[in-house]
Amino acid sequence: MPRIAYAFPDEVLEHVFSFIHSDQDRNAISLVCKSWYEIERWCRRSIFVGNCYAVSPVMVVKRFPKLRSISLKGKPHFADFNLVPEDWGGYACPWIEAMASAYPWLEEIRLKRMVLTDESLELISKSFKNFQVLVLSSCEGFSTDGLAAIAANCRNLRELDLRESEVEDLSGHWLSQFPDSFTSLVSLNISCLGSEVSTCALERLLAGCPNLQSLRLNRAVPLEKLVNLLGRSPNLVELGTGAYTSEMQPDVFSDLSRAFVGCKQLKSLSGFWDAMPYYLPAVYPISSRLTSLNLSYATTESPYLVKLVSECRNLQRLWVMDYIEDSGLEALAVSCKDLRELRVFPSDPFGLEPNVALTERGLVSVSEGCPELQSVLYFCRQMSNAALVTIARNRPNMTRFRLCIIEPRKPDYLTLQPLDAGFGAIVEHCKNLRRLSLSGLLTDRVFEYIGSYGKKLEMLSVAFAGDSDLGLHYVLSGCDNLRKLEVRDCPFGDKALLANAAKLETMRSLWMSSCNVSFGACKLLGQKMPRLNVEVIIDERGPPDSMPESCLVEKLYIYRTVAGPRMDMPGFVWRYTGP
Amino acid sequence: MILVPNYATYRKRDGFLISLLLKKKKKFLCLVASERKRERERERVGYRKVQEGSFSASTKPSSFSVLFLTLLEHDYIGLAEKPSMEISEKSSHLNLNLKETELRLGLPGSESPERKPTNLISLFGKDLRNTNALKNLVAGSKRGFSDDAVVDFEGKINNTHKASQSAKPKQDKKPEISETNDHVSPPSSKEQVVGWPPIRSFRRNTMACSLIKNKDDDEEEERKPSEASGFLYVKVSMDGAPYLRKVDLRMYTNYMQLSSALEQMFTCFTIGECNSGGFPGKDGLSESSLRDLLHVSVHVVTYEDKDGDWMLVGDVPWEMFTESCRRLRIMKGSEAIGLAPRAMEKKGWSHNNNCRRIK
């Protein structure tokens, strides 16, 4: 009987594989047999590395010789909140250097929370002939000089996206480095830059790039200039305004309105820094087209926000500050039936008293009124179990639920009970929940619920919760799909960690800070699990070698890796090296 | 309903411990009463009240832990004992939690790795400055003790542990615990936990800029600096330190506060230069090490302003400084000779207020 498998030449298999884009599917293919592994690796074009230290650049280059697109993530998520010291790591340089020599045809680089230097940017601009996409999300370490190099040398650049990166702003002149013949730009996001960019250079750029679809300006671009810019880019789909404030001039208003209408494809608006109520109605003519609205920097009062939001009937994504208040969210629930994602940010997170009338009621009404709601990030000052249960029952299709009750360990304000039952209902009813962030007063009970119901949970963030190791044990033993767990200020200790050591190899990473893990346990874990990097971030007390075993570590970051201990550990990061 | 501890269970224990318990019982009850009063007054404090409710009876570790823990902490630091059979006979579900409430014998300040401090540690806040101290007392951990640690045992506290430096801006603080302390000045809105609420630095800095702009517009509104809720994190580097820190300039209202915070943040590195391997004294700088320090090195604080120039901290008014400062750098005296002649004369970096270069 002929072996059917051998009847397929490699080219056919390669062609079949080319239809498969999902990384997980690709990984599964490569595990079938050696020949499929070989074929797959030669035809893989895009790779995502969730933790840049889990694998080394050399290994990636060796396995995948023909990559066109690479995505890397560096620092742990809690680095966003200042919990990771400076110079911890996440350096992109070794990766860029490896890729510069191995992939002359690389087209796309996407980095998140990594440190990138101007030299690396220059290397990128010179090494890749067909470089098209550069996305730097929450990165740092580079300046506008590096951007100038990119602008000058990347002839086919399509996307330059600097979302929320920390760029050393030396001047706005880097934009003029785009040559006159440059036409390929499709997306430009410079919203994080502090200084003014030359408007002439911007205008020239936009005039030359007819395919521009996404433009996010920085705060320094005044409203009057926005009108000109919009006039030159009629194909915009996404727009991020600059400062949305100016002296109240009717002609500016009408020009602005006309400019918005002129962009017939415009679907997404963001920016709105210091938004003035006078100019918000300029958006009304296109409000029915809008599917995404980011008002999270708009410090406008509730009534104006509500009016705007009520006009946008087809809104799918809304990011807003808590100025919208419960009443605004109720209006939202009535008007925007297609809402998929809601994020409400606090206007005064550090004040002692609430400054706006935003409570759990707003979220409950949105959950009732918006049947498509899947993703929630909500900052508020009070919550009740009843509200959470209602939300859970209303929205079993929830996939991302992040609730931040501003005061740590705040109980249910009605019953003064912990919020275990509420969050338990969330995980129980929302069977597809992939991401969850907890807050408020919580005991081990909530972790028991999460462990038993959160089977699809991939990322869990915990702060100021739990009573004992049981909490951590429930989560690590129960959540089958857990990839990332980050914990701060919880009384979780050695027992649960050591008992579930094997689980850690199935996860991308675990972050624990201000918990009760002892140094001895870290040593033991490092000893027993060679494929984990157990990194202790030392505080000022001195190197852990001088610490007794029972000493508690302040910050601990554990991640699986096939690359062994990392070479660029700073002095304040310790890793077990030997007996 | 509060579960009253059953003192009978302790009868099988060491006689010494019993007598101690009975002596302290009165003090304990008084403290509980006064704490309850304080609790009722402050609604904002977010810790559990033990109540019967929707929990099933078998899983209420919190109630036990509260009481046992309260007995455990105040004045009993370090005293421990093997758990009695009666306690361990309780539901196995509670076992892990009860262990943390075991009384054990040991020197105060000694580490006790199996302790798991709970969150319910508010009743004895009177003598304890903040949670760190409290956690330390329970766990006996090396996080250090605050200056106002438990009164009776203060003398015995292991001085080789660094002080918790409660004024440190980056130190974790649990707001509700710090509020229970009568001895400390009323907590400002600035006593915040690092990285909480979880808002990205980009957003925080953007909001801070918005607030400045509103401040300018709204001249009538008097905003005290302590009420300003913006954030302005700037990097602080010190020559010779292994890593940089970040401080939030909005937490301070004048140069004095900033300089003391910086001092406390970077003390360890400075002391490290003087006596290698030794831990600094309880209060940061002991007298002898201070003298050594003055002889060894002097530090000057400089900042980089919006134009990229390095300036000496202290010349301009505070508000102007916070608006233009982008990062800070603490330079060694030897480098700072050209920069700050007055600093060298006055020996800029010390506890002595008179010598402070920064106004």
Side-chain angles (χ1 to χ4, degrees):
Chain A
M1 179 111 73
R3 293 266 193 105
I4 303 180
Y6 294 152
F8 280 128
D10 289 355
E11 292 80 18
V12 176
L13 278 174
E14 201 175 309
H15 183 69
V16 172
F17 294 166
S18 68
F19 291 102
I20 298 171
H21 303 291
S22 144
D23 283 324
Q24 276 148 342
D25 291 342
R26 282 268 179 170
N27 292 343
I29 287 174
S30 64
L31 291 173
V32 166
C33 63
K34 277 194 184 146
S35 61
W36 280 37
Y37 175 90
E38 283 297 310
I39 298 168
E40 195 280 320
R41 79 180 185 94
W42 278 94
C43 69
R44 178 99 73 138
R45 294 285 174 263
S46 155
I47 190 174
F48 168 75
V49 180
N51 175 4
C52 65
Y53 291 119
V55 69
S56 74
V58 169
M59 290 163 113
V60 170
V61 163
K62 196 168 157 209
R63 179 172 168 185
F64 300 111
K66 298 228 168 205
L67 285 184
R68 295 280 163 87
S69 155
I70 186 159
S71 299
L72 297 171
K73 289 190 180 178
K75 298 189 197 175
H77 175 232
F78 274 178
D80 286 346
F81 316 128
N82 272 4
L83 286 175
V84 176
E86 303 289 318
D87 302 330
W88 172 87
Y91 300 110
C93 190
W95 287 90
I96 309 281
E97 280 168 5
M99 292 189 294
S101 44
Y103 304 129
W105 295 107
L106 190 72
E107 292 170 1
E108 305 180 6
I109 294 180
R110 295 182 168 85
L111 304 178
K112 186 164 186 178
R113 280 189 214 103
M114 296 194 77
V115 177
L116 189 64
T117 58
D118 286 341
E119 289 74 31
S120 299
L121 281 171
E122 232 185 280
L123 190 60
I124 290 174
S125 70
K126 299 212 168 110
S127 317
F128 307 119
K129 305 287 170 245
N130 195 24
F131 192 67
Q132 297 176 11
V133 171
L134 183 64
V135 176
L136 302 174
S137 181
S138 305
C139 294
E140 58 177 1
F142 60 101
S143 76
T144 43
D145 287 348
L147 296 177
I150 296 276
N153 300 323
C154 299
R155 298 299 157 109
N156 294 324
L157 193 68
R158 277 192 298 119
E159 266 184 59
L160 180 59
D161 191 339
L162 305 172
R163 49 184 96 147
E164 297 196 358
S165 293
E166 260 184 56
V167 185
E168 197 181 333
D169 224 333
L170 300 174
S171 78
H173 297 308
W174 65 274
L175 256 183
S176 357
Q177 299 297 316
F178 280 110
D180 290 332
S181 54
F182 183 69
T183 55
S184 50
L185 200 64
V186 170
S187 165
L188 180 67
N189 178 353
I190 52 169
S191 52
C192 60
L193 294 182
S195 69
E196 274 190 51
V197 288
S198 145
T199 356
C200 307
L202 254 182
E203 282 174 9
R204 190 170 57 86
L205 183 64
L206 297 188
C209 299
N211 298 321
L212 192 71
Q213 287 181 359
S214 169
L215 176 66
R216 295 191 208 268
L217 303 166
N218 62 339
R219 198 177 190 164
V221 176
L223 200 56
E224 296 88 355
K225 295 273 160 65
L226 181 64
V227 178
N228 294 342
L229 295 170
L230 281 178
R232 286 164 198 268
S233 35
N235 293 326
L236 273 187
V237 176
E238 295 175 349
L239 171 71
T241 72
Y244 204 73
T245 176
S246 173
E247 288 183 13
M248 302 202 277
Q249 297 161 336
D251 42 343
V252 173
F253 181 95
S254 53
D255 286 343
L256 188 61
S257 209
R258 222 174 303 128
F260 279 140
V261 172
C263 298
K264 303 217 183 297
Q265 320 280 343
L266 200 55
K267 289 215 186 83
S268 160
L269 286 179
S270 59
F272 292 108
W273 279 285
D274 317 311
M276 276 181 75
Y278 177 78
Y279 283 108
L280 279 180
V283 177
Y284 290 175
I286 56 161
S287 51
S288 53
R289 271 194 251 140
L290 292 179
T291 56
S292 165
L293 196 53
N294 181 349
L295 295 166
S296 58
Y297 297 108
T299 50
T300 335
E301 299 290 303
S302 171
Y304 310 103
L305 288 177
V306 171
K307 261 215 98 192
L308 174 58
V309 157
S310 316
E311 298 270 330
C312 303
R313 309 247 147 209
N314 291 315
L315 211 55
Q316 291 177 9
R317 179 182 3 184
L318 177 65
W319 292 22
V320 71
M321 291 199 86
D322 59 5
Y323 291 123
I324 196 169
E325 297 189 341
D326 288 337
S327 52
L329 290 175
E330 274 159 38
L332 179 72
V334 167
S335 342
C336 307
K337 292 300 181 188
D338 204 17
L339 195 71
R340 317 262 164 102
E341 180 179 335
L342 175 68
R343 294 196 190 189
V344 178
F345 295 95
S347 50
D348 183 18
F350 308 106
L352 292 175
E353 300 299 328
N355 61 327
V356 289
L358 182 91
T359 65
E360 81 286 4
R361 281 194 291 276
L363 186 57
V364 171
S365 36
V366 175
S367 73
E368 273 164 10
C370 303
E372 306 288 332
L373 188 68
Q374 289 170 6
S375 169
V376 169
L377 169 62
Y378 200 75
F379 284 82
C380 61
R381 287 182 187 268
Q382 65 182 43
M383 186 51 66
S384 65
N385 280 315
L388 284 171
V389 171
T390 313
I391 293 168
R393 291 219 171 99
N394 287 340
R395 293 277 66 78
N397 53 338
M398 191 81 74
T399 55
R400 282 179 286 274
F401 189 76
R402 292 149 75 188
L403 179 68
C404 177
I405 301 168
I406 287 177
E407 194 190 318
R409 300 201 189 89
K410 190 148 195 214
D412 177 335
Y413 76 102
L414 293 171
T415 63
L416 296 174
Q417 299 278 19
L419 290 171
D420 301 339
F423 279 108
I426 296 273
V427 283
E428 186 185 346
H429 292 275
C430 306
K431 305 242 183 279
N432 290 321
L433 197 68
R434 292 202 308 266
R435 184 166 179 184
L436 179 65
S437 297
L438 305 174
S439 58
L441 186 66
L442 296 163
T443 69
D444 286 342
R445 207 77 216 282
V446 73
F447 299 108
E448 197 185 344
Y449 291 135
I450 293 174
S452 41
Y453 294 116
K455 293 305 178 188
K456 293 239 177 104
L457 199 62
E458 293 177 3
M459 182 166 175
L460 179 64
S461 308
V462 185
F464 307 104
D467 304 316
S468 72
D469 273 27
L470 267 182
L472 182 60
H473 175 70
Y474 283 136
V475 171
L476 288 179
S477 53
C479 297
D480 300 326
N481 280 309
L482 195 64
R483 289 187 299 118
K484 284 183 281 186
L485 177 61
E486 43 191 28
V487 175
R488 63 163 295 177
D489 294 278
C490 299
F492 298 150
D494 302 342
K495 285 205 192 69
L497 198 60
L498 294 173
N500 292 289
K503 170 79 178 172
L504 298 177
E505 268 193 17
T506 67
M507 289 166 53
R508 184 189 293 175
S509 66
L510 167 64
W511 168 276
M512 290 180 77
S513 61
S514 307
C515 296
N516 294 346
V517 179
S518 76
F519 175 60
C522 296
K523 255 176 151 171
L524 190 60
L525 204 56
Q527 226 174 347
K528 298 287 177 198
M529 315 281 296
R531 280 200 302 246
L532 288 182
N533 274 355
V534 180
E535 294 184 3
V536 172
I537 294 176
I538 311 164
D539 49 10
E540 300 87 8
R541 275 163 293 137
D545 295 339
S546 61
M547 293 203 298
E549 301 263 320
S550 50
C551 220
L552 298 187
V553 306
E554 183 63 32
K555 291 181 184 163
L556 174 64
Y557 185 51
I558 303 175
Y559 56 91
R560 65 176 173 187
T561 178
V562 291
R566 56 181 174 120
M567 295 295 137
D568 57 6
M569 280 200 297
F572 56 86
V573 175
W574 171 92
R575 186 199 179 275
Y576 174 80
T577 40
Chain B
M1 188 201 87
I2 299 292
L3 291 168
V4 179
N6 180 8
Y7 287 109
T9 61
Y10 294 120
R11 278 188 201 122
K12 293 189 182 172
R13 297 189 178 186
D14 193 16
F16 162 69
L17 206 54
I18 300 300
S19 59
L20 203 62
L21 275 169
L22 292 172
K23 270 187 223 166
K24 303 297 180 185
K25 177 180 168 185
K26 194 175 173 190
K27 198 172 180 182
F28 159 67
L29 289 171
C30 290
L31 275 168
V32 172
S34 61
E35 193 51 42
R36 293 243 164 272
K37 236 198 230 171
R38 252 177 274 143
E39 213 183 287
R40 275 194 291 272
E41 281 161 26
R42 284 184 318 273
E43 293 171 19
R44 196 185 84 74
V45 179
Y47 54 83
R48 279 174 267 197
K49 293 203 164 84
V50 181
Q51 278 182 350
E52 286 193 52
S54 52
F55 283 135
S56 59
S58 63
T59 54
K60 260 193 163 171
S62 50
S63 42
F64 283 110
S65 344
V66 173
L67 277 309
F68 289 138
L69 198 58
T70 54
L71 289 172
L72 177 66
E73 288 173 16
H74 184 66
D75 296 343
Y76 303 148
I77 308 312
L79 294 180
E81 196 183 86
K82 295 280 171 247
S84 76
M85 290 309 294
E86 286 161 322
I87 305 260
S88 50
E89 269 163 25
K90 303 222 188 281
S91 87
S92 58
H93 201 82
L94 294 172
N95 241 352
L96 265 173
N97 293 320
L98 289 172
K99 266 205 175 147
E100 72 194 297
T101 63
E102 287 166 7
L103 299 178
R104 293 201 192 93
L105 283 169
L107 288 173
S110 62
E111 275 103 36
S112 180
E114 286 174 65
R115 287 176 191 240
K116 296 162 205 52
T118 69
N119 304 326
L120 315 173
I121 39 180
S122 56
L123 295 188
F124 298 103
K126 190 173 171 188
D127 287 318
L128 302 157
R129 181 178 287 221
N130 59 24
T131 315
N132 271 333
L134 216 39
K135 256 171 134 170
N136 302 334
L137 294 166
V138 172
S141 82
K142 64 313 170 247
R143 285 209 189 91
F145 300 98
S146 80
D147 298 341
D148 292 358
V150 175
V151 174
D152 292 351
F153 286 83
E154 194 167 357
K156 296 184 201 164
I157 285 169
N158 192 349
N159 278 340
T160 61
H161 292 293
K162 210 162 77 154
S164 68
Q165 300 142 3
S166 42
K168 236 183 174 190
K170 273 190 80 86
Q171 187 112 8
D172 284 0
K173 293 189 181 84
K174 312 276 186 288
E176 64 268 26
I177 305 304
S178 57
E179 282 197 11
T180 64
N181 193 340
D182 283 341
H183 295 172
V184 172
S185 55
S188 65
S189 65
K190 286 304 167 193
E191 265 195 66
Q192 288 140 17
V193 183
V194 173
W196 190 266
I199 300 172
R200 288 191 172 173
S201 13
F202 181 75
R203 180 171 294 278
R204 261 187 265 129
N205 285 341
T206 306
M207 273 163 35
C209 292
S210 297
L211 273 164
I212 294 177
K213 291 200 169 139
N214 291 344
K215 207 170 159 180
D216 292 338
D217 296 340
D218 234 350
E219 281 162 28
E220 297 172 60
E221 196 188 351
E222 265 188 50
R223 271 177 174 270
K224 291 182 214 150
S226 59
E227 284 170 14
S229 51
F231 250 59
L232 195 59
Y233 274 104
V234 295
K235 292 186 188 178
V236 187
S237 61
M238 173 157 169
D239 299 343
Y243 51 85
L244 279 64
R245 301 295 300 263
K246 267 193 168 166
V247 285
D248 171 25
L249 292 182
R250 301 244 172 271
M251 288 206 21
Y252 314 107
T253 53
N254 54 41
Y255 287 113
M256 200 81 92
Q257 292 178 3
L258 174 66
S259 94
S260 63
L262 288 176
E263 246 175 273
Q264 294 196 337
M265 229 189 238
F266 286 97
T267 291
C268 51
F269 303 126
T270 334
I271 293 299
E273 288 164 11
C274 300
N275 24 314
S276 53
F279 286 105
K282 195 161 73 101
D283 239 336
L285 280 174
S286 66
E287 248 198 273
S288 54
S289 54
L290 175 58
R291 257 181 264 127
D292 292 338
L293 176 59
L294 291 176
H295 288 139
V296 169
S297 64
V298 163
H299 291 82
V300 168
V301 186
T302 60
Y303 72 99
E304 185 185 13
D305 72 352
K306 284 210 175 99
D307 303 323
D309 301 318
W310 287 94
M311 323 274 287
L312 187 66
V313 166
D315 289 332
V316 298
W318 175 256
E319 285 74 25
M320 205 186 291
F321 166 70
T322 50
E323 276 171 36
S324 59
C325 172
R326 277 185 19 193
R327 54 189 298 173
L328 290 165
R329 182 178 163 209
I330 303 171
M331 297 167 84
K332 282 205 173 99
S334 44
E335 272 186 58
I337 285 175
L339 190 59
R342 274 193 286 163
M344 291 302 290
E345 287 170 46
K346 287 188 179 179
K347 295 203 173 68
W349 195 252
S350 76
H351 269 306
N352 191 343
N353 286 351
N354 295 335
C355 293
R356 282 241 173 85
R357 166 69 183 89
I358 300 163
K359 297 188 267 291

